[in-house]
């Protein structure tokens, strides 16, 4: 966001604290709600996804796994404030 704060000016509080790492290895191009349901009990405000058994280090993965938009909306509805993923982006590689 061109009008957003520079990362050096953003407070750290949203990034610090309890989080849940959810294994979603081999779930396909988009992480859907059904891929996370097994790990949603007592969900903290931060969620990180592991999608790779072994991430490629020698190339960009054009088939990287990303969050489905509906999954992000449902996580937000549960109070999740921060999401992350072990790929280059939370969006599909073809997203503009």
């Amino acid at each position: 966001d061109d009008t957003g704060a520079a990362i050096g000016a953003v407070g750290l509080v949203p990034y610090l604290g309890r989080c849940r790492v959810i294994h979603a290895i081999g779930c396909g191009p988009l992480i859907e709600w059904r891929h996370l349901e097994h790990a949603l009990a007592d969900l903290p405000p931060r969620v990180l996804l592991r999608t790779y058994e072994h991430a490629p280090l020698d190339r960009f993965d054009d088939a990287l796994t990303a969050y489905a938009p509906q999954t992000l909306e449902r996580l937000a509805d549960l109070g999740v404030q921060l999401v992350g993923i072990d790929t280059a982006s939370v969006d599909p590689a073809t997203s503009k």
Side-chain angles (χ1 to χ4, degrees), residues 26-89:
C27 289
L30 291 176
I31 298 297
E32 298 175 4
W33 191 249
R34 63 188 172 93
H35 298 128
L36 306 182
E37 286 181 315
H38 69 281
L40 297 178
D42 193 30
L43 199 61
R46 295 159 202 86
V47 171
L48 304 176
L49 292 188
R50 179 178 180 206
T51 64
Y52 288 116
E53 184 71 37
H54 300 284
L57 302 176
D58 59 341
R59 62 180 168 76
F60 181 79
D61 183 6
D62 289 323
L64 61 84
T65 301
Y67 281 94
Q70 300 84 357
T71 302
L72 291 172
E73 290 170 9
R74 290 185 75 177
L75 287 170
D77 289 344
L78 289 178
V80 172
Q81 300 170 6
L82 179 77
V83 296
I85 196 165
D86 63 350
T87 64
S89 176

Side-chain angles (χ1 to χ4, degrees), residues 10-17 46 81:
V10 174
L12 293 178
V13 172
Y15 304 96
L16 301 174
R46 295 159 202 86
Q81 300 170 6

